[in-house]
């Protein structure tokens, strides 16, 4: 990314988005659109063979978001990652580096850690071998019985991990190459850096299990076409239905919905528009939505939706809300917004997703559903997955 791009401020980026949204609102029926309708075979959501290939290519060979830096701010803090058929410990060393290890003792494979309680070493519950935060074997009862064994070869098994812009990425694969964030993020570094996630503070996390393919869930975050019909008393109250801007940072993207507060500036000259903090709904490809919410004005907060496949028909979402920047005020209002988001997404978006996915399992193998030109983010998402699987 060029220095010029990095220097571009979040306020300027948001002003460009504002112009696009106001342009749409000034012309009824206008929204960002792709060139053509797109057809998707239903099998892409229900075929177990395709699913295994997605896991391999999208979730093992590419870095994905594990957590934010603020989830493990101090040496010995723990984030447990129990997804995608792996159990990983993420921690911070005394030097401040992030490490990720297989949650497995190198004696006979016992699970080392079961809670996120901070610690200065990992002690195995089976025979009490212990490891320091750098993964070195530092304690081994009855050394004599292991004479001749090199401690160096019994280090914890490391998994590639990398930290940038307040975000912790892992590549959940053993014996994998290190993470190349330049390659995997590309220009998406720019919006990611403008979210100020390095100043985040965790408020609340909820876990929701859903009987639907993981892509069905991701799709619900990428269009506002459904707001009026599905969310008449929730999201459609705060945002215009079927009006949005789409920005590709391929394979990542951002969509910006037309909040009702935009109506206040449609009639104003641009010089009179209030400055707006950078925000929007970001997809960190392939499975994490980061919504930098605009509802609290300058008091920014972010809700991160990490969606992990369990099997082709089942997924789990972690909803985590963070506040951005220092603040003296209480967290109560943010906890309430978090709870409302979890409730609405679970009972409206995910409920309809479960029933939709159920139907896709019943249809003939050659059935295709369609994505409209206004579902441009979803179209690109599918194309980006297809490109990754083909590559
Ligand atoms: S399996 Fe961990 S000490 Fe034996
Ligand atoms: Fe929705």
């Amino acid at each position: 990314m060029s220095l010029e791009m990095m220097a571009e401020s979040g306020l300027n980026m948001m002003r460009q988005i504002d112009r696009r949204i106001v342009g749409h609102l000034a012309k009824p029926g206008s929204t960002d659109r792709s060139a053509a309708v797109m057809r998707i075979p239903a099998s892409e959501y229900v075929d177990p063979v395709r699913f295994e290939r997605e896991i391999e290519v999208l979730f093992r060979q590419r870095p994905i978001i594990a957590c934010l830096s603020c989830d493990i701010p101090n040496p010995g803090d723990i984030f447990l990652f129990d997804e995608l058929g792996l159990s990983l410990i993420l921690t911070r060393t005394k030097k401040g580096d992030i490490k990720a290890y297989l949650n497995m003792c190198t004696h006979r494979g016992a699970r080392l850690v079961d809670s996120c309680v901070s610690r200065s070493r990992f002690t195995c519950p089976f025979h009490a071998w212990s490891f320091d935060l750098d993964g070195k074997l530092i304690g081994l009862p009855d050394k004599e019985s292991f004479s001749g064994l090199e401690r160096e070869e019994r280090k914890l098994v490391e998994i590639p991990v990398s930290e940038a812009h307040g975000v912790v990425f892992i590549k959940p694969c053993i014996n994998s190459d290190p993470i190349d964030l330049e390659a995997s993020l590309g220009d998406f570094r720019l919006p990611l850096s403008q979210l100020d996630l390095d100043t985040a503070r965790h408020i609340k996390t909820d876990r929701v299990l859903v009987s639907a393919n993981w892509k069905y869930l991701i799709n619900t975050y990428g269009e506002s076409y459904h707001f009026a019909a599905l969310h008449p008393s929730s999201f459609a109250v705060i945002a215009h239905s079927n009006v949005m801007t789409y920005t590709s940072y391929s394979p990542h993207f951002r969509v910006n919905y037309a909040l009702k507060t935009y109506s206040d500036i449609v009639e104003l000259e641009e010089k009179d528009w209030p400055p707006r903090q950078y925000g929007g709904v970001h997809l960190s490809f392939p499975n994490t939505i980061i919504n930098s919410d605009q509802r609290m004005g300058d008091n920014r907060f972010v809700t991160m939706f990490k969606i992990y496949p369990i099997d082709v028909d089942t997924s789990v979402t972690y909803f985590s809300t963070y506040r951005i920047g220092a603040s003296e005020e209480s967290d109560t209002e943010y906890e309430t917004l978090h709870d409302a988001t979890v409730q609405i997404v679970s009972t409206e978006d995910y409920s309809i997703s479960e029933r939709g996915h159920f139907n896709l399992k019943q249809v003939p193998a050659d059935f295709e559903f369609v994505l409209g030109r206004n579902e441009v983010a979803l179209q690109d998402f599918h194309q980006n997955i297809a490109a990754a699987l083909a590559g």
Side-chain angles (χ1 to χ4, degrees):
M1 190 186 313
S2 71
L3 286 174
E4 268 176 342
M5 283 179 77
M6 285 299 286
E8 189 180 17
S9 77
L11 288 176
N12 285 339
M13 287 172 70
M14 203 61 214
R15 178 52 60 97
Q16 289 172 22
I17 296 163
D18 287 348
R19 283 187 200 122
R20 291 168 65 191
I21 290 179
V22 168
H24 286 316
L25 290 175
K27 236 183 340 166
S30 177
T31 186
D32 276 12
R33 292 189 171 96
S34 65
V37 168
M38 184 174 170
R39 293 165 188 278
I40 311 274
S43 61
E44 292 191 5
Y45 284 69
V46 296
D47 176 7
V49 175
R50 153 98 183 199
F51 175 78
E52 289 306 324
R53 176 112 180 99
E54 287 177 354
I55 295 291
E56 180 56 31
V57 173
L58 305 175
F59 291 94
R60 300 241 187 270
Q61 296 175 7
R62 295 182 51 89
I64 58 169
I65 292 178
C67 60
L68 295 190
S69 301
C70 67
D71 291 315
I72 36 176
N74 301 309
D77 287 348
I78 302 288
F79 185 87
L80 266 181
F81 180 93
D82 272 315
E83 312 302 330
L84 302 168
L86 286 172
S87 181
L88 307 178
I89 306 167
L90 279 79
T91 192
R92 200 173 287 278
T93 68
K94 289 195 173 133
K95 282 197 212 141
D97 300 330
I98 292 258
K99 294 276 188 184
Y101 305 111
L102 217 51
N103 188 5
M104 182 193 79
C105 175
T106 55
H107 174 216
R108 281 171 48 200
R111 185 176 160 97
L112 271 181
V113 171
D114 260 323
S115 83
C116 290
V117 174
S118 301
R119 62 204 75 202
S120 57
R121 58 167 61 189
F122 308 108
T123 301
C124 179
F126 202 171
H127 313 93
W129 281 26
S130 60
F131 304 83
D132 69 11
L133 299 175
D134 289 292
K136 277 198 228 114
L137 176 61
I138 52 169
L140 178 159
D142 187 9
K143 291 188 193 69
E144 199 172 328
S145 292
F146 291 89
S147 56
L149 184 76
E150 289 293 332
R151 288 193 181 207
E152 192 56 24
E153 72 164 84
R154 295 285 99 191
K155 288 175 77 166
L156 296 181
V157 178
E158 280 198 50
I159 300 292
V161 62
S162 189
E163 188 175 24
H165 309 299
V167 183
V168 179
F169 296 86
I170 53 168
K171 210 196 286 185
C173 186
I174 298 159
N175 294 331
S176 181
D177 295 333
I179 293 173
D180 179 353
L181 280 184
E182 284 296 329
S184 64
L185 291 179
D187 286 348
F188 191 57
R189 285 189 89 114
L190 178 61
L192 203 55
S193 68
Q194 299 301 334
L195 292 171
D196 296 329
L197 298 173
D198 47 358
T199 68
R201 182 166 61 82
H202 179 254
I203 303 294
K204 209 168 175 191
T205 292
D206 276 283
R207 178 182 191 274
V208 175
L209 197 63
V210 190
S211 299
N213 183 269
W214 68 280
K215 300 186 296 297
Y216 212 119
L217 306 189
I218 297 279
N219 287 346
T220 64
Y221 297 88
E223 45 90 359
S224 62
Y225 179 39
H226 71 281
F227 282 11
L230 188 63
H231 303 305
S233 54
S234 54
F235 295 133
V237 175
I238 57 171
H240 293 275
S241 201
N242 205 24
V243 183
M244 58 164 239
T245 63
Y246 171 68
T247 308
S248 170
Y249 299 91
S250 185
H252 316 279
F253 70 68
R254 180 190 64 236
V255 290
N256 287 88
Y257 297 133
L259 298 180
K260 292 277 173 83
T261 50
Y262 273 100
S263 304
D264 300 342
I265 65 168
V266 170
E267 303 296 333
L268 298 179
E269 285 187 49
E270 186 178 320
K271 65 176 175 49
D272 297 323
W273 295 357
R276 201 183 295 263
Q277 296 266 17
Y278 176 75
V281 179
H282 303 71
L283 172 74
S284 179
F285 187 80
N287 70 323
T288 303
I289 302 286
I290 305 173
N291 177 26
S292 176
D293 207 296
Q294 311 271 309
R295 275 178 284 178
M296 300 291 284
D298 284 344
N299 297 320
R300 297 165 84 193
F301 72 104
V302 157
T303 305
M304 187 158 77
F305 309 78
K306 290 180 293 183
I307 296 161
Y308 300 106
I310 292 177
D311 60 38
V312 66
D313 302 317
T314 322
S315 313
V316 63
T317 299
Y318 291 85
F319 300 76
S320 296
T321 295
Y322 301 84
R323 289 185 70 177
I324 304 298
S327 177
E328 302 292 306
E329 308 151 35
S330 121
D331 294 333
T332 311
E333 204 165 348
Y334 299 86
E335 289 167 5
T336 305
L337 283 167
H338 171 95
D339 293 345
T341 301
V342 174
Q343 172 72 10
I344 295 163
V345 173
S346 302
T347 59
E348 297 178 5
D349 297 283
Y350 285 2
S351 170
I352 207 125
S353 300
E354 284 191 330
R355 289 180 244 175
H357 181 84
F358 176 85
N359 282 336
L360 294 185
K361 290 200 290 180
Q362 323 301 326
V363 295
D366 60 351
F367 178 82
E368 295 175 321
F369 64 89
V370 290
L371 294 173
R373 293 171 54 221
N374 56 347
E375 297 172 290
V376 51
L378 281 48
Q379 293 191 357
D380 260 15
F381 176 60
H382 281 274
Q383 273 160 349
N384 288 327
I385 290 176
L389 297 185

